[in-house]
Amino acid sequence: MSTALDRQIRPIYDALDTGSNKSAIVACNKLLKKHPKNELIKALKALALVRSQKVEESLILCDEVLDLKPTNDAVLTAMMHVLRGLGRHKDMVTMFEEAYKQQPSNEELGAQTFFANVRAAQWKSAQQIATRMHKQFQEDRYLYWSVMSAVLQANDVSTPIAMRMLLYKLAHRLLTSSPTPSYLNADRFHLHIFILRELELFDEARKLLDSDVGKTICATNLSCDELRRDIWQRCGMIKEEGERAQMRIVEDQNRNWLEFLSVLNATFCYLDPSQNDSSSTLSEGAKVHCAEHITRTQELFTRLALEDGSKDRSSMLGLLELEGRARKYGLSTSPARLVTLMEHYFEEIGDKACCFEDLKPYLDLEGNECLKWTSFLEATPASFNSPNELRRLINSHKLLRHGLSQSELTVEAESARALLYTKYFMDGLQLGVALPSSELQPADDFALLAGNAWVSLWNSTSDESYLHKAVALLEFALTRSPQSFQARMILIRIYRLLGAPSMALEHYRIMQIKQIQHDTLSHLILSRASTFSLAATGDLTLATECLESTQIYLSNSQETGDFIVRAFTSEKYSQIPEFIEFEDRLDNSLQRDIVKMEHLRMRLAHEPITSDIIDMELIELKFIFDRSHHDNRDFDIITNYQPQGSSSINDQTHLFGKAEGRGWLGAFLKLYIRAFQHGSDLDDTVEEKLLIGDRPKQSADLEKKPLRERLLQRQDEEIAELTADEVPLVDYATALANWLEPYHDYTRPPPSVVLAEAARQTELKTGHPLKGVDLQSLNGIANGNGRKDEDPPVVTEPPELVLKYFEQLKSRLLELRNNPSPVRALHLATLAQEALLLFTVETLRFRSSSVVKINKLGGLVTSFKSIRADAIVVLQEMSTELIKMADVSSTMDSRNMFTDSCNSLTTLGIDQDFLVGVAKKVTEARKKVLEGVGKGLTRVTSL
Amino acid sequence: MFKFNNINLDIWTETYGIGFYLSYLSRWPDLCCVQEAPNGRMMGYVIGKAEGSNTEWHGHVTAITVAPEYRRLSLARKMMTLLEMVSDETYKGFFVDLYVRCANTVAINMYEGLGYSVYRRVREYYGNLGIGKGGRDEEDAFDMRKPLSRDPHQRSIRMNGRDMLVRAQDVS
């Protein structure tokens, strides 16, 4: 390229780098006048177009450049970004393959072709290219790339199980052909051992591991050592592993819990049926051996525990686990030992925050043991002289609460407990007066315990005043300990239960959830969020929150692939399968699609329903429907302090008492896919032609039934996750869909007509015909010769379920009117709104009078009119009702009711003015959402 | 990353983008380590890297953090030991270094107890808080170092490090 042109192109790169796509396009156009054939300028223009969402125009340029089969590095790089932007990873592979074919001695092109395959997860061709590169360039790492690709192909969901072993064998064969040993590099060694383990070639693996180099690698590399441990266990070397672990614990002072587990596993290996192949019942001999070993291990851990004291808890935990397991096998020699050990543990570690979680697995006590343990804990002095004493007291109460039986959970007893926790919390605050606001208060956990107790009381009595108390105390706790995210999470949940979503959002935002946390924690605020959405009135707060939370999935699909490639270049093979799993877990995240569904529900209430929206959403929902989802939501983060027999605080505070998951998503996906299929003109053949980018990978062993059949199935899991008000909505939508399906199928224009229309639109927009569609041959049909020969289906009466649905909603609202919390009413109202919107989707096609006339469907439209009119009346009544509720929700009376609930807290030192402030905020938040949803209903009816 | 919420909801622990974690894992996986409790809950993690040229080749502690409920258990100490061991034996570095807020006396004392000493003071290294109650100490950082076995004469450290001032843009 001439330097003059080079100089002219540089500003285009600068514009692209700074995101000024418009000026990049202008600059490209200018240069293209002079150099109309220049590939690089075309590629750069395509990139600028993709980045400014002008997909159709970009496609044309993109295909033009691809047809030229570029080999120039700059062009290829630009095209790589274009194709990635369009989601065409497979075309990227082809492009590099073509270039590499033209310049087979270009090592860089070879590597790029390999990486393109890696990005598209095409492991088989990746493996072949790497093998070819190894032959040609004689570099060891290409051989390892090929080995790794074979392993990844074996692990891929689309690979049939029978193929997997063959692929591992291939990987093994490739490895043994390597001129240099794998132990030159820890990650190559890791890969080697991993393959040997999968092939169960344990002798070979052990030979490598037992060599001096092998030992050195395992000593400094945790992931290699983990593999080694696993291989030893699998080939029955549990006892040897125990001895080795014991050496490391005693001689190297290693306190890795995994070493302790190895010692424990060895202690009990005599009882493992797979180790005793002689008979299925345990021989007396085995028991004797085991008992002896228990004694030895006990002596060892006791000695270590004495040496370590409270410095390290591993040995004491080891003793507890040893006793726990011995009991399980009936080999405990002293019935009192477990509690004694627990008491000892509490004495040594009781002043550390982790004590409760550490002891949790051993708390299933009965009878006298339970009594002894309880009275031991009760003897903990309630003194507040030091943070250590306070933590000990907190731990004793957490442990006591954990052990409470159902009979001890009476309203009186729980109320008394909640007040005691509150009192201790207030007393404990003095210990943290001097702490900066960035620190947690040592007394915080007492506030959480009180919160748990009140939630549990609300759960058993449905008396909302308990939630008021919890809100007041936790809000107060946050004024002293603003960083307590535990308090915030309980508050978020309670505010949603109380129907004060804006308060929940306020706390959620303070938590500064970002990046990957959106996937694991956005459920806190977005679960069934359409209940609180004011999108119908134009307030897009929650809808925006949905969109923001999905950014992480975009950056996953843009970035993670690069790091997989980078792990190949830096030969960190041990990380590659984990990166791939990470990418997959985010890509197919359940939360991602639950949020997608919520956003769609909000969107339909906000935007006018058009066939464009229907078509686009339909395609996306169909993709989602075929995904196998990973649930990455973190529910364990809300620390549970409810007694062991009760449900957890997480379960108790789900909105409407129902947690949504795969079942809920499945039910709503089916509902919307069917409605959109009816509303859309796209059938599978059209979609195939119009879709840009790759389709998602399908797993191999799932013999899937056709989509239609799967849409009609209803599973128990789905019904179980729906609320009492969601079930009728699903029934209604199903009945509506079944009723109208034949009319849609009859009146939908044939694929050729749809395609012709799409082609016409594209040409109008871009000046180029649509690729792959032959307009000429379609023209005849498009002009209206595609009329069907059969008669239109006979118009039938609307099904009962559809007719009665809105009427039933009205009576249900009357039932709910007197509920203290407005959430149920909001739920019902938003579902009613959704039902009407679904009705619009299902009847959109018949708004065109020519469609109705030609197909003689006048009767159908008459039914629509009356159903719609009835629905609108109901929605308007609901709207009035909600606005009435809004008016009474934020009065002096309602505020007083809140503060009255919290009287007992004022006596413990929480300021009355503070309580009034909280009450005001809560009641105003309620008013806002009731009013908003109420007004939204009216707006939706006028659409 | 799916399970680190109990650690990262802390204000001193930054949650970075995917690229941050993956770039460390794709280059120095053995300098990154998570500690889990017996029940599987994450207790803490350390992220490190190896960098520098010639005698400046060293291990660097990028992030080290422990969940509130697992503090006061010397977990950080153990993770530091691991990182030092790997920097020494696998990467053959001359020293390990880390940055710490000058105001964070608890951490400084801990690092000193582990054999680290201040090498220099980096001005305005932590920009985000501005000048707070602690004045300059809140935004300046100490670069602390500990020599490894490849530096038997301890050339990588000095006595008067607290007085050696450098600007943030002059350090990597």
Side-chain angles (χ1 to χ4, degrees):
Chain A
M1 198 186 297
S2 73
T3 39
L5 184 60
D6 210 12
R7 224 179 14 248
Q8 283 169 301
I9 286 180
R10 190 147 314 139
I12 305 181
Y13 278 107
D14 292 342
L16 282 166
D17 283 344
T18 51
S20 6
N21 297 314
K22 240 188 204 158
S23 59
I25 297 174
V26 173
C28 286
N29 285 339
K30 218 163 100 191
L31 275 182
L32 276 173
K33 274 190 195 135
K34 266 188 265 171
H35 311 275
K37 291 230 159 85
N38 189 296
E39 297 171 4
L40 180 58
I41 306 171
K42 281 188 189 174
L44 292 174
K45 186 180 169 189
L47 182 58
L49 285 168
V50 164
R51 291 195 176 159
S52 32
Q53 319 293 330
K54 294 185 177 147
V55 176
E56 286 106 336
E57 291 170 66
S58 168
L59 271 178
I60 295 155
L61 273 175
C62 172
D63 288 335
E64 257 175 57
V65 181
L66 284 182
D67 287 342
L68 297 169
K69 301 193 176 157
T71 53
N72 174 290
D73 189 41
V75 179
L76 289 171
T77 312
M79 287 302 290
M80 190 167 90
H81 288 108
V82 175
L83 290 169
R84 217 193 287 181
L86 294 169
R88 292 166 61 172
H89 292 282
K90 293 196 174 123
D91 289 335
M92 201 188 322
V93 172
T94 326
M95 176 180 79
F96 279 114
E97 267 170 359
E98 289 288 345
Y100 186 36
K101 224 185 269 168
Q102 292 177 60
Q103 303 186 352
S105 60
N106 187 333
E107 193 168 346
E108 178 56 28
L109 272 184
Q112 288 299 339
T113 315
F114 175 78
F115 295 150
N117 274 295
V118 167
R119 285 211 173 83
Q122 297 186 353
W123 307 117
K124 191 174 170 193
S125 34
Q127 190 262 319
Q128 288 162 343
I129 289 161
T131 312
R132 211 160 70 215
M133 288 177 72
H134 178 237
K135 272 196 196 118
Q136 193 177 349
F137 306 111
Q138 294 294 326
E139 254 220 63
D140 283 354
R141 66 175 177 156
Y142 298 141
L143 181 73
Y144 280 88
W145 286 6
S146 136
V147 172
M148 188 74 228
S149 306
V151 168
L152 291 171
Q153 197 193 341
N155 291 342
D156 199 279
V157 281
S158 62
T159 306
I161 310 246
M163 274 290 291
R164 296 190 178 173
M165 273 303 133
L166 282 174
L167 285 162
Y168 279 119
K169 278 187 187 147
L170 168 70
H172 185 229
R173 205 168 56 236
L174 286 167
L175 253 181
T176 37
S177 77
S178 167
T180 50
S182 61
Y183 56 67
L184 289 180
N185 165 324
D187 267 81
R188 289 183 180 181
F189 186 73
H190 185 271
L191 180 59
H192 194 169
I193 305 287
F194 176 82
I195 292 166
L196 294 175
R197 186 189 70 178
E198 294 305 304
L199 289 169
E200 302 193 342
L201 295 171
F202 295 135
D203 289 342
E204 209 180 320
R206 273 176 49 196
K207 217 161 88 193
L208 281 172
L209 289 165
D210 290 343
S211 69
D212 285 341
V213 209
K215 280 184 188 155
T216 319
I217 293 180
C218 289
T220 53
N221 189 302
L222 289 173
S223 31
C224 285
D225 198 42
E226 211 177 304
L227 261 182
R228 180 204 55 74
R229 195 176 281 128
D230 188 51
I231 288 171
W232 279 31
Q233 301 236 332
R234 286 213 206 175
C235 55
M237 293 168 61
I238 300 180
K239 237 186 273 180
E240 290 83 346
E241 164 62 12
E243 282 159 18
R244 197 203 54 87
Q246 186 166 333
M247 286 236 304
R248 298 198 60 175
I249 294 171
V250 176
E251 281 167 24
D252 307 344
Q253 293 298 312
N254 193 313
R255 291 294 178 270
N256 187 341
W257 178 244
L258 292 176
E259 307 291 1
F260 284 82
L261 277 183
S262 288
V263 173
L264 286 162
N265 290 340
T267 308
F268 292 94
C269 71
Y270 313 90
L271 310 175
D272 183 355
S274 68
Q275 301 282 313
N276 290 307
D277 35 14
S278 52
S279 70
S280 56
T281 53
L282 289 173
S283 67
E284 278 310 304
K287 279 195 178 171
V288 174
H289 284 304
C290 186
E292 283 169 13
H293 205 147
I294 292 176
T295 319
R296 286 203 302 279
T297 307
Q298 196 168 320
E299 281 165 11
L300 170 74
F301 287 175
T302 313
R303 199 184 73 224
L304 293 170
L306 213 64
E307 286 169 18
D308 291 352
S310 58
K311 259 201 348 260
D312 192 291
R313 65 204 218 277
S314 317
S315 310
M316 278 183 284
L317 281 174
L319 277 172
L320 276 165
E321 182 62 24
L322 180 73
E323 182 60 22
R325 290 196 195 185
R327 282 183 155 217
K328 207 173 81 194
Y329 291 114
L331 288 172
S332 169
T333 48
S334 153
R337 185 180 290 123
L338 186 65
V339 174
T340 314
L341 285 171
M342 281 162 55
E343 290 176 4
H344 180 67
Y345 194 82
F346 188 83
E347 271 155 17
E348 291 287 341
I349 309 288
D351 58 359
K352 317 258 192 209
C354 63
C355 179
F356 171 62
E357 287 291 330
D358 286 345
L359 285 177
K360 231 173 167 180
Y362 311 105
L363 292 177
D364 196 8
L365 302 170
E366 273 168 22
N368 279 335
E369 285 179 330
C370 188
L371 287 176
K372 183 163 179 277
W373 174 238
T374 312
S375 55
F376 167 79
L377 290 173
E378 280 167 347
T380 314
S383 52
F384 302 88
N385 299 319
S386 71
N388 281 0
E389 279 184 4
L390 176 58
R391 269 192 295 271
R392 196 176 286 280
L393 185 66
I394 289 173
N395 275 323
S396 76
H397 279 277
K398 286 181 184 172
L399 289 162
L400 281 168
R401 180 162 182 78
H402 186 85
L404 293 176
S405 65
Q406 283 305 315
S407 60
E408 291 169 286
L409 293 175
T410 59
V411 172
E412 294 73 34
E414 274 286 81
S415 304
R417 260 177 227 124
L419 286 178
L420 183 70
Y421 300 144
T422 310
K423 183 178 174 306
Y424 285 167
F425 170 69
M426 302 301 280
D427 292 345
L429 280 178
Q430 53 174 326
L431 283 170
V433 176
L435 287 176
S437 66
S438 56
E439 290 298 306
L440 294 169
Q441 287 285 334
D444 278 349
D445 286 1
F446 270 128
L448 301 179
L449 278 164
N452 272 258
W454 278 318
V455 165
S456 141
L457 278 165
W458 167 78
N459 203 53
S460 57
T461 62
S462 303
D463 181 348
E464 208 179 68
S465 69
Y466 295 116
L467 293 183
H468 297 165
K469 289 189 179 64
V471 164
L473 179 65
L474 291 168
E475 284 284 4
F476 179 76
L478 280 174
T479 62
R480 299 304 165 96
S481 193
Q483 295 305 321
S484 173
F485 60 87
Q486 290 290 352
R488 275 193 214 285
M489 288 190 295
I490 303 179
L491 274 173
I492 290 172
R493 282 289 179 85
I494 296 179
Y495 279 131
R496 283 162 51 90
L497 293 172
L498 287 174
S502 55
M503 294 297 295
L505 189 61
E506 199 179 305
H507 283 285
Y508 180 77
R509 291 208 169 132
I510 296 175
M511 281 172 65
Q512 299 216 25
I513 300 300
K514 52 182 124 160
Q515 304 289 353
I516 184 89
Q517 292 172 330
H518 278 127
D519 188 43
T520 54
L521 293 175
S522 66
H523 66 82
L524 285 170
I525 200 79
L526 295 178
S527 150
R528 286 192 168 93
S530 50
T531 311
F532 301 125
S533 165
L534 307 185
T537 62
D539 175 347
L540 294 178
T541 314
L542 281 170
T544 314
E545 207 64 48
C546 288
L547 290 180
E548 270 167 25
S549 85
T550 52
Q551 274 303 316
I552 185 69
Y553 307 111
L554 222 69
S555 66
N556 176 47
S557 61
Q558 284 167 353
E559 290 174 37
T560 308
D562 285 345
F563 288 100
I564 298 172
V565 166
R566 216 191 274 188
F568 268 105
T569 25
S570 58
E571 292 207 74
K572 299 297 178 200
Y573 303 111
S574 61
Q575 301 302 309
I576 294 172
E578 292 184 29
F579 286 7
I580 291 173
E581 194 202 329
F582 176 79
E583 188 179 31
D584 178 57
R585 278 184 65 173
L586 267 184
D587 211 30
N588 295 309
S589 156
L590 180 64
Q591 177 65 8
R592 174 188 198 171
D593 293 335
I594 287 177
V595 170
K596 162 77 210 169
M597 185 49 78
E598 284 303 326
H599 182 254
L600 170 66
R601 299 167 82 192
M602 296 177 197
R603 182 182 186 187
L604 291 182
H606 174 66
E607 288 174 45
I609 298 174
T610 62
S611 60
D612 274 356
I613 290 188
I614 292 179
D615 290 349
M616 289 206 329
E617 295 287 357
L618 173 62
I619 294 175
E620 196 174 344
L621 294 188
K622 275 162 76 180
F623 278 172
I624 294 176
F625 191 58
D626 278 335
R627 280 183 182 152
S628 44
H629 286 106
H630 298 280
D631 191 355
N632 306 325
R633 295 173 297 174
D634 188 354
F635 292 118
D636 296 330
I637 188 70
I638 310 176
T639 316
N640 179 38
Y641 297 124
Q642 301 298 22
Q644 54 185 339
S646 308
S647 50
S648 69
I649 185 148
N650 171 50
D651 290 338
Q652 289 176 349
T653 53
H654 279 304
L655 201 54
F656 315 121
K658 290 268 184 184
E660 77 273 48
R662 292 181 180 83
W664 180 90
L665 181 63
F668 275 87
L669 276 173
K670 287 175 188 174
L671 187 158
Y672 274 101
I673 291 176
R674 281 199 76 196
F676 287 159
Q677 274 182 334
H678 294 162
S680 170
D681 287 346
L682 301 184
D683 71 354
D684 289 348
T685 51
V686 180
E687 193 190 304
E688 190 64 45
K689 291 252 189 230
L690 295 180
L691 192 67
I692 302 155
D694 300 336
R695 289 169 171 281
K697 223 177 198 174
Q698 301 284 331
S699 75
D701 36 79
L702 257 162
E703 282 255 339
K704 279 199 175 138
K705 294 184 198 154
L707 177 67
R708 211 193 114 70
E709 238 171 90
R710 283 186 292 138
L711 286 175
L712 293 178
Q713 265 172 8
R714 202 191 278 193
Q715 274 137 8
D716 294 341
E717 181 200 30
E718 293 171 3
I719 303 297
E721 287 179 13
L722 298 176
T723 66
D725 293 314
E726 282 166 346
V727 175
L729 175 79
V730 172
D731 289 340
Y732 152 86
T734 313
L736 182 64
N738 290 345
W739 174 42
L740 296 178
E741 191 155 68
Y743 310 110
H744 284 290
D745 288 347
Y746 183 80
T747 47
R748 184 176 296 116
S752 49
V753 177
V754 180
L755 273 179
E757 175 61 20
R760 212 167 52 82
Q761 291 293 341
T762 315
E763 200 162 349
L764 274 179
K765 242 196 216 163
T766 63
H768 292 270
L770 192 64
K771 219 183 141 197
V773 179
D774 182 1
L775 258 188
Q776 289 304 316
S777 70
L778 288 175
N779 254 344
I781 317 168
N783 287 337
N785 298 338
R787 183 72 20 84
K788 290 177 182 160
D789 303 329
E790 336 142 27
D791 287 332
V794 182
V795 171
T796 54
E797 285 299 304
E800 197 77 342
L801 268 169
V802 174
L803 285 174
K804 287 274 162 66
Y805 179 69
F806 289 98
E807 202 52 39
Q808 278 162 356
L809 287 178
K810 210 163 82 183
S811 48
R812 175 89 174 127
L813 184 69
L814 294 178
E815 275 170 44
L816 297 176
R817 191 162 50 177
N818 296 325
N819 266 16
S821 165
V823 277
R824 291 272 173 190
L826 288 169
H827 186 44
L828 193 75
T830 45
L831 290 173
Q833 174 179 300
E834 194 170 4
L836 181 67
L837 293 167
L838 278 166
F839 190 77
T840 309
V841 172
E842 285 273 7
T843 55
L844 198 63
R845 182 187 303 284
F846 308 106
R847 283 208 180 158
S848 143
S849 51
S850 65
V851 169
V852 176
K853 217 164 150 193
I854 296 168
N855 298 297
K856 307 184 187 85
L857 294 175
L860 210 54
V861 174
T862 321
S863 321
F864 293 166
K865 276 190 185 142
S866 79
I867 296 173
R868 201 179 167 80
D870 289 348
I872 285 174
V873 171
V874 173
L875 256 64
Q876 272 163 349
E877 281 175 32
M878 280 187 158
S879 163
T880 322
E881 193 61 44
L882 289 187
I883 290 168
K884 234 191 278 168
M885 286 167 83
D887 290 340
V888 294
S889 68
S890 182
T891 55
M892 204 54 167
D893 280 352
S894 60
R895 280 204 290 276
N896 286 343
M897 207 166 83
F898 188 99
T899 46
D900 287 349
S901 314
C902 306
N903 266 341
S904 48
L905 298 182
T906 32
T907 52
L908 288 171
I910 295 181
D911 192 49
Q912 179 72 21
D913 287 347
F914 177 80
L915 290 178
V916 173
V918 176
K920 204 165 160 223
K921 278 179 147 182
V922 175
T923 50
E924 269 166 17
R926 273 185 169 181
K927 182 176 175 177
K928 190 178 157 214
V929 69
L930 280 165
E931 222 169 54
V933 171
K935 285 184 181 156
L937 286 179
T938 330
R939 213 196 66 93
V940 166
T941 56
S942 65
L943 284 177
Chain B
M1 271 191 253
F2 293 117
K3 288 283 163 203
F4 68 19
N5 289 322
N6 60 329
I7 300 175
N8 275 39
L9 286 170
D10 171 87
I11 53 159
W12 299 122
T13 308
E14 179 64 21
T15 300
Y16 298 97
I18 293 175
F20 174 84
Y21 301 101
L22 296 194
S23 68
Y24 276 87
L25 286 170
S26 65
R27 293 177 69 184
W28 308 281
D30 42 1
L31 290 174
C32 302
C33 169
V34 167
Q35 286 204 315
E36 279 179 12
N39 63 9
R41 211 172 165 93
M42 267 171 82
M43 302 195 288
Y45 61 80
V46 61
I47 297 174
K49 61 179 170 182
E51 61 180 5
S53 48
N54 303 323
T55 53
E56 284 284 295
W57 175 247
H58 67 283
H60 174 75
V61 184
T62 305
I64 181 162
T65 174
V66 174
E69 64 269 34
Y70 293 106
R71 291 189 187 150
R72 314 176 73 85
L73 293 168
S74 332
L75 294 186
R77 196 175 289 257
K78 284 178 194 165
M79 293 192 283
M80 291 297 292
T81 314
L82 174 83
L83 199 130
E84 287 160 16
M85 188 269 283
V86 177
S87 300
D88 199 358
E89 296 191 12
T90 308
Y91 290 91
K92 315 277 182 220
F94 287 89
F95 60 92
V96 170
D97 79 342
L98 54 88
Y99 290 108
V100 59
R101 233 175 258 277
C102 297
N104 195 345
T105 40
V106 181
I108 295 171
N109 289 340
M110 178 189 86
Y111 295 132
E112 282 179 343
L114 290 171
Y116 286 78
S117 58
V118 175
Y119 182 73
R120 56 188 173 180
R121 180 179 176 129
V122 187
R123 281 171 70 178
E124 295 165 16
Y125 182 76
Y126 296 102
N128 56 337
L129 288 185
I131 301 175
K133 268 188 246 157
R136 288 254 168 261
D137 281 357
E138 274 199 37
E139 48 177 12
D140 287 6
F142 282 137
D143 176 0
M144 297 184 79
R145 297 185 173 185
K146 178 181 182 175
L148 298 173
S149 63
R150 242 188 118 180
D151 179 21
H153 306 298
Q154 315 222 322
R155 294 206 174 97
S156 55
I157 56 169
R158 54 189 167 202
M159 295 301 292
N160 57 347
R162 285 178 188 252
D163 305 325
M164 304 297 283
L165 269 172
V166 291
R167 291 178 306 164
Q169 52 265 46
D170 297 336
V171 298
S172 59

